[in-house]
Amino acid sequence: MIERVLASLLFLVLLTASARADWLEPGEPLTRERLQSMLFANLDIGTESSDRRMELQIRQPALPLPNRAQGRIQLNLVDISSNPDTGMFDATLAARLDSGEQSMIPVSGRIEELVPVVVPNRTIRRGESIDPNELSIDWRRPDGLGADVLFEIADAAGLEADRFLRRDQPIYEKDIRQVRLIRQGEIVEVRFMAPGLELAALAEALDDGARGDVVRLSNVDSGKQFRGIVTSRKVAVVSKSPIGSHP
């Protein structure tokens, strides 16, 4: 997954003299938000959308950057270069006073495409069914995310938690499972169907089981153990009669 994200990072390009300028008023510091806005406006990284988010980290200079000038300062990004494999970039910010004085400020950082991950809006306990209305999409850095993290709410809807799911923490495939229709220790209905014949009996479930699972069962009258296929809530079907021989 991380390789896919890195591969999707767009190449950053050299800026030309037509790059958009910004202005600082006298005494106004250069903030992280202001510099990030300039970088996003001038970098050729496309635009964010409902299915695409970018994060820009600035490592240099230390921000906010104080401004002791008595007049307005014009800011221009005059050049930028990058490593498309890592997303790291280096740039130069030109700060020019109305008087003509100018200084160059080195800028460096990293731009990274975020990935959408599924998170619960509340803590979900093991064994609870997962309501899609209790899930949301959060945008995270790919670093540290496992390959089996869920990207779409539909992948978890209608399943149940196989472990404790913490609020706002990414959900992984290993965290969820099919809803258990039969639970160990429950008394369930066991059905045997053959041409012209249908038998039913009660049995104790010796295993948990989702739809289609084969579980062990114990006849409540005879104690005889056998196996059945889970078909619905508290119902299993067997290939041999659960109450003995039949015509």
Side-chain angles (χ1 to χ4, degrees):
M1 180 199 66
I2 293 176
E3 289 78 4
R4 176 178 64 82
V5 173
L6 287 176
S8 69
L9 287 174
L10 300 180
F11 285 83
L12 308 181
V13 298
L14 292 179
L15 296 176
T16 66
S18 62
R20 185 184 308 173
D22 199 359
W23 294 85
L24 291 179
E25 296 301 322
E28 180 184 6
L30 176 61
T31 63
R32 183 172 302 275
E33 293 75 15
R34 194 73 170 271
L35 184 52
Q36 285 178 334
S37 178
M38 288 188 66
L39 289 165
F40 271 121
N42 288 289
L43 291 173
D44 184 20
I45 58 173
T47 58
E48 290 190 333
S49 63
S50 60
D51 60 354
R52 186 168 184 263
R53 301 285 176 84
M54 309 294 290
E55 181 179 75
L56 196 152
Q57 305 168 41
I58 299 173
R59 301 186 178 184
Q60 184 186 14
L63 299 169
L65 194 64
N67 172 17
R68 298 181 178 85
Q70 301 300 309
R72 298 177 73 202
I73 299 178
Q74 183 184 44
L75 300 175
N76 281 289
L77 283 169
V78 294
D79 67 78
I80 187 165
S81 61
S82 74
N83 182 331
D85 294 326
T86 64
M88 302 298 296
F89 69 87
D90 292 288
T92 301
L93 180 67
R96 182 183 179 86
L97 295 173
D98 288 338
S99 62
E101 297 176 68
Q102 180 172 286
S103 62
M104 299 295 181
I105 303 171
V107 179
S108 64
R110 183 183 185 191
I111 189 162
E112 187 169 34
E113 186 164 2
L114 304 181
V115 296
V117 297
V118 180
V119 300
N121 299 329
R122 67 171 181 88
T123 295
I124 300 176
R125 297 185 179 278
R126 185 174 186 269
E128 281 191 69
S129 295
I130 299 175
D131 183 342
N133 294 320
E134 296 178 336
L135 304 176
S136 60
I137 294 294
D138 194 18
W139 295 85
R140 302 286 179 93
R141 298 176 187 172
D143 299 342
L145 292 177
D148 61 339
V149 69
L150 299 188
F151 297 109
E152 298 183 9
I153 291 177
D155 293 336
L159 303 183
E160 72 176 25
D162 195 28
R163 63 182 66 194
F164 198 76
L165 304 181
R166 297 187 180 279
R167 179 179 178 180
D168 297 330
Q169 295 302 307
I171 299 176
Y172 293 84
E173 291 178 7
K174 64 178 179 293
D175 297 334
I176 56 179
R177 63 186 175 194
Q178 295 293 324
V179 174
R180 292 173 296 170
L181 299 176
I182 287 179
R183 298 175 184 268
Q184 183 178 6
E186 289 183 333
I187 301 301
V188 303
E189 180 183 351
V190 182
R191 297 173 182 172
F192 169 76
M193 288 175 284
L197 178 67
E198 182 174 340
L199 299 175
L202 296 179
E204 179 184 354
L206 303 180
D207 300 310
D208 293 335
R211 189 185 304 276
D213 287 347
V214 176
V215 295
R216 294 174 301 143
L217 303 162
S218 175
N219 189 291
V220 294
D221 294 323
S222 66
K224 180 180 179 180
Q225 292 189 14
F226 53 97
R227 296 179 184 273
I229 300 174
V230 180
T231 59
S232 57
R233 181 71 178 113
K234 293 188 178 183
V235 177
V237 171
V238 297
S239 59
K240 293 184 180 179
S241 170
I243 55 177
S245 62
H246 54 274

